[in-house]
Amino acid sequence: AFGLYTILGGADFGGGIIETFAGTKRAHSISKAMAPVWEANHVWLILAVVILFNAFPKIYSTLSVVLHIPLMVILIGIILRGSAFTFRHYDTDEDLFHPLHTKLFIISSWITSLFLGITLGAMILGKIDLQQGLSFREKFIDPWLNVFCFATGLFTCSLFSYIAAVFLVHESAEYTERRKFILHARLSMLTCFVTGLLVFLTASMEGLSLFSEMIKSTPALFLLIFATISAPVIWYFLNRGTSTPFYLRLVTGAQIAAILSAWFFIQYPVVIAMKSGEHLTILNAHAPEITLKYLLIALVVGLLLIVPGFVFLYRVFK
């Protein structure tokens, strides 16, 4: 669910980020590409939250309490972004409110993407503390307001912009506009590389050795190598122009999935790293077995209904 939300929802957020530099004409193409699917992509976020709430209640409660500030910013950003996009796209009169909706759409896309990364960084860093007697700043601010979490947020913004640019390359019929999206994709790819290095550097500054953790995990190492060597393949497909939309999107999706899976293997089995060292893992924070059993059944049945609906949606509109 998180992987699909990163790829599909991330493309939506990245569309708003790209609009910062796109101009009015390409902004119209972005809105046209997003309109049929932007609301549906949030299904995967809702699914992830439901799974956490039911299968890993301790993890869900820790996140929602200790990180309630960045999570609230994310929720507000999603609401403002969706509202601004809807009013701008479906309002037939291009009045004075259109520029306001556009600015709100762009700003909320940046902020939501940034704080999604900040929340992920806080889960990794290990500054979350549940002890009694801590000040408000120590318990609710320090775990996420630091240079590592901010670097993770910047990497998330770069990654979403990159996904969106790649997907948008073949959403435009005009050659000039398509070349602009190719340029955005290349620049975003380079930005991902730079901000990714920044994540590793700032982790060391905060006392977290991500590099050594990656070396210890063979699957994570191979996945990151795959993500790296797939970059020139994607660059090649971008140079091919209009002839390879399926392969371009397929390799890009595989690259993003590899990055997420590498993070999973680096962390495994830890989901939230705690300051006390008593980390919350998928092994010690799960619900009773009977709950997991019935949740699995519900997920299988639900996906049998959802996946065909998504296939139909994309075949009709995309």
Side-chain angles (χ1 to χ4, degrees), residues 6 10-11 48 55 66 73 75 94 147-148 163 170 174 281:
T6 300
V66 178
V73 173
L75 291 174
E94 294 200 11
V147 64
F148 169 73
I163 299 169
H170 297 285
E174 293 187 16
T281 73

Side-chain angles (χ1 to χ4, degrees), residues 73-86:
V73 173
I74 291 169
L75 291 174
I76 293 172
I78 290 174
I79 293 168
L80 291 177
R81 182 179 176 277
S83 302
F85 177 79
T86 302

Side-chain angles (χ1 to χ4, degrees), residues 211 214-215 217-226 262 265-266:
F211 184 76
M214 181 185 70
I215 296 298
S217 174
T218 303
L221 186 60
F222 276 106
L223 285 165
L224 286 177
I225 290 173
F226 169 79
F265 281 111
I266 289 173

Side-chain angles (χ1 to χ4, degrees), residues 12-24:
D12 277 358
F13 289 122
I17 293 172
I18 288 176
E19 274 203 28
T20 310
F21 320 100
T24 305

